[in-house]
Amino acid sequence: MDFGIQDKWALVCAGSKGLGRACAESLAEEGVNVVIVARGVEALAETAAHIGANTEVEVRTVSADITTAEGRKEALSACPKLDILVNNAGGPPAGNFRDFEIADWEKALHANMLTPIELIKSVLDGMIERKFGRIVNITSAAVKAPIPILGLSNGARAGLTGFIAGLSRQTPVHNVTINNILPGAFATETMNGRMAAMAKQSNQSIGDVAKSRLNAIPAGRFGEPKEFGQLCAYVCSAQASYITGHNFLIDGGVYNGTL
Ligand code: NAP
């Protein structure tokens, strides 16, 4: 199926590794020019080279911290026009909420709630004017089924989800949609870090933690970033103009509910 987004421009935040990178790759495979933002220059260069070698799209990289106003400004100024925005940033650390200070909460809120909202504020009216826009926020399965040691993530992402629920109904009349994609357990650096934290907290080996996580996944495996990126590309497609305000859970069947 042709997704009808060839020659569009996408800004993919936190796009040099893992799920963000997979979104950038899948969009590029659909002919979308991509601006990829991350802090580390090496992974950015490697990702850009990989996309450049496998597609014919234009790839630009911005080395910046997307959670800062300056970083967002740099990222936005690298896009000639913005048709697709993939909001993403690193997740907050795990821990016992009794140890979190206000500064920890502020950091989590900036990364996982306020940064996406600020970026949406910057791009939405242009999308509305041009009658095309796709905004995807990478959140977490923890929005639907909170994970006890991820209080900062549970809280900050729930705030974003509530905001998006309201905004996303105001835009589809202009062919601008806003959706969230909620990853379960995907094989990325972040997930390895999470498993290491869980192992430390529960006094187990990382292998044992991985095994018990796998036992709880009906699909019997961790997700592959590529399948996440492909869902993102579909949600950004021309065909998906009637889909807005959704929370797409992609978790191998872990969430055990009828709806
Ligand atoms: P990952 O593989 O570790 O990649 C994280 C990416 O984000 C890297 O490109 C990193 O590059 C970039 N990044 C982090 N902080 C940034 C910042 N402040 N500014 C710009 N770029 C930044 O992580 P992932 O697994 O894809 O996770 C992506 C998001 O999904 C995270 O919020 C994570 O908590 C959430 N999530 C993941 C899973 C999972 O199973 N993987 C499950 C639930 C939720 P630099 O470090 O070089 O900046």
Side-chain angles (χ1 to χ4, degrees), residues 37-246:
V37 189
R39 293 161 304 179
V41 286
E42 259 177 52
L44 267 177
E46 199 275 316
T47 300
H50 178 85
I51 294 174
N54 290 286
T55 67
E56 289 182 356
V57 303
E58 192 172 331
V59 187
R60 298 183 183 176
T61 60
V62 178
S63 166
D65 182 340
I66 200 67
T67 68
T68 64
E70 204 175 279
R72 288 189 290 276
K73 201 169 156 199
E74 273 180 60
L76 290 167
S77 59
C79 304
K81 72 178 165 78
L82 218 144
D83 307 297
I84 295 170
L85 168 65
V86 178
N87 273 317
N88 185 28
N96 185 320
F97 91 97
R98 292 170 187 80
D99 301 326
F100 298 148
E101 306 290 348
I102 289 287
D104 300 313
W105 279 105
E106 283 173 350
K107 210 168 163 202
L109 288 168
H110 270 286
N112 301 113
M113 179 182 173
L114 301 176
T115 287
I117 292 172
E118 281 293 295
L119 284 168
I120 291 170
K121 192 168 86 179
S122 300
V123 305
L124 189 65
D125 290 341
M127 289 177 168
I128 287 173
E129 221 167 89
R130 294 189 296 276
K131 293 276 176 221
F132 183 93
R134 298 288 182 265
I135 298 173
V136 168
N137 305 298
I138 299 181
T139 64
S140 171
V143 170
K144 254 186 110 83
I147 300 168
I149 63 162
L150 295 182
L152 291 171
S153 173
N154 299 338
R157 296 189 202 274
L160 176 66
T161 303
F163 170 77
I164 294 298
L167 183 65
S168 58
R169 270 77 190 185
Q170 299 169 42
T171 62
V173 68
H174 305 290
N175 191 20
V176 176
T177 67
I178 314 179
N179 292 284
N180 306 315
I181 307 185
L182 287 57
F186 277 78
T188 66
E189 264 185 41
T190 283
M191 195 186 65
N192 292 338
R194 294 262 185 260
M195 289 200 296
M198 284 178 193
K200 197 172 163 202
Q201 209 181 43
S202 59
N203 243 338
Q204 298 177 76
S205 70
I206 296 183
D208 285 343
V209 170
K211 213 165 142 192
S212 65
R213 283 209 75 175
L214 278 175
N215 285 339
I217 301 175
R221 63 177 177 83
F222 293 124
E224 290 298 330
K226 191 171 179 61
E227 53 199 332
F228 188 96
Q230 288 168 337
L231 173 59
C232 175
Y234 174 70
V235 174
C236 294
S237 70
Q239 289 88 340
S241 65
Y242 207 50
I243 300 175
T244 198
H246 271 275

